[in-house]
Amino acid sequence: MSEQSFIAGGHRHGGHFAERLVHGLQQALEHSLDAEAISKQRGLLQGLDPRIKLLALLSLMISGILAGQLSTLLLLFCLAVVLALLSQVSLRRLYRQAWLSVLLFSGAIALPALFLVPGDILFRLPLLHWGISLQGLRSAAFLLGRAETSASFALLLMLTTPWMHVLKAMRSLGVPVLLVALLGMTHRYIFVLLQTASQMFEARRSRMLAPPSGWLARQVVAASSGVLLSKAFQLSSEVHLAMVSRGYRGDIYLLHSFHTRPRDWCALLPALCVPLLILWKHA
């Protein structure tokens, strides 16, 4: 069974810990294949030069950080939604891969600000009598808005651009070769380890007569993690030596060459103007 057919098989497990872990690893690989498929579709962002797209989306992320009004953040967030729809990226994917996780993580950080930032009390929680101030609510909204907006633009870049094109665009824009090589190798090793871990757990499960108990399942996971770590060290050395022996020095070479067209500049110029307008407005 090939890797693609195995992943596309979509094994669904709702059982014990080890099976849920295998299912999670398969889902991670499945998301990667879906992202590659999205980057090959015909959409607004897919049709832009990766260097232009990187600069434009980075400019919009900086705009979200510089925004001093919630209305500006809302407009940038709506722009991200429009770009996603025009690029064949579903809102459900944005919700699952960016909005929900950012909301939970940033929300946990922003929550104390509701009660700790002094100001005009809007209302008090029942029983606890903790006051929620207007200034605290505004601070939490800014944190969440900036995080959600930046994450949306970053995810759009990842979903609409093949990863190797992103690395090549970064090198074209002068990003140090060490950082590009680090990102490239990290991305590659993540999926090599995911695939290896999935195959290890699947092989062990096929040799079991019955699902292990909770304690035995955790023991299997701990033992497999140790074996996986040992394999990772050995594999990293072998792969790096093989790449260096073939002339790899950190630069990304692709058969596909980047070409800028008038529509690329038409997309870049407005994106670069957004942070300048925000700075001029607050000057």
Side-chain angles (χ1 to χ4, degrees):
M1 183 178 291
S2 66
E3 176 189 343
Q4 284 73 15
S5 61
F6 173 74
I7 296 170
H11 298 249
R12 294 294 181 263
H13 305 284
H16 53 78
F17 177 73
E19 291 189 343
R20 291 199 300 273
L21 181 59
V22 173
H23 179 53
L25 294 174
Q26 292 172 357
Q27 277 191 322
L29 293 171
E30 201 171 335
H31 285 317
S32 173
L33 294 179
D34 290 343
E36 286 291 332
I38 292 174
S39 66
K40 295 177 182 176
Q41 292 181 356
R42 299 175 64 87
L44 176 64
L45 291 179
Q46 288 90 337
L48 296 179
D49 185 289
R51 296 166 297 180
I52 300 295
K53 187 172 18 179
L54 179 62
L55 282 177
L57 292 178
L58 183 62
S59 175
L60 293 176
M61 281 189 276
I62 294 174
S63 302
I65 296 172
L66 296 176
Q69 295 181 350
L70 290 176
S71 57
T72 306
L73 279 176
L74 181 60
L75 289 176
L76 289 171
F77 183 78
C78 293
L79 176 61
V81 172
V82 172
L83 290 176
L85 295 177
L86 294 177
S87 305
Q88 311 294 324
V89 178
S90 67
L91 299 184
R92 182 170 178 268
R93 177 172 290 275
L94 284 178
Y95 166 77
R96 292 178 58 187
Q97 296 190 348
W99 296 343
L100 181 59
S101 55
V102 170
L103 177 64
L104 295 176
F105 182 75
S106 301
I109 299 175
L111 186 62
L114 297 176
F115 311 102
L116 298 179
V117 175
D120 303 328
I121 301 299
L122 292 178
F123 57 91
R124 294 184 181 275
L125 292 180
L127 301 178
L128 296 177
H129 303 292
W130 291 353
I132 297 178
S133 65
L134 175 62
Q135 289 74 8
L137 189 61
R138 182 180 173 85
S139 299
F142 267 115
L143 178 60
L144 284 176
R146 285 169 175 156
E148 293 283 6
T149 304
S150 300
S152 301
F153 287 126
L155 185 59
L156 285 178
L157 175 66
M158 295 296 105
L159 290 177
T160 59
T161 314
W163 179 243
M164 298 307 293
H165 289 192
V166 175
L167 296 180
K168 184 177 179 181
M170 292 174 68
R171 281 295 297 147
S172 302
L173 297 175
V175 176
V177 63
L178 179 61
L179 179 59
V180 174
L182 185 64
L183 290 175
M185 296 299 290
T186 302
H187 181 268
R188 178 58 184 158
Y189 281 129
I190 285 175
F191 290 99
V192 169
L193 291 179
L194 283 175
Q195 184 179 11
T196 304
S198 177
Q199 291 172 349
M200 286 174 56
F201 282 110
E202 193 70 25
R204 182 178 290 274
R205 190 177 61 179
S206 66
R207 291 171 173 81
M208 292 181 176
L209 297 178
S213 61
W215 178 82
L216 182 58
R218 288 190 289 273
Q219 192 177 34
V220 168
V221 171
S224 301
S225 300
V227 175
L228 183 64
L229 183 62
S230 174
K231 284 188 175 184
F233 283 125
Q234 181 181 1
L235 183 65
S236 62
S237 176
E238 293 175 353
V239 171
H240 183 258
L241 289 177
M243 294 174 66
V244 171
S245 66
R246 290 167 173 78
Y248 176 75
R249 296 295 184 271
D251 285 320
I252 307 298
Y253 298 100
L254 301 175
L255 295 177
H256 176 79
S257 300
F258 295 158
H259 300 287
T260 55
R261 290 159 293 186
R263 65 178 181 181
D264 296 318
W265 299 110
C266 292
L268 177 62
L269 290 178
L272 293 179
C273 289
V274 174
L276 297 178
L277 285 175
I278 293 175
L279 289 175
W280 174 74
K281 188 174 180 180
H282 292 284

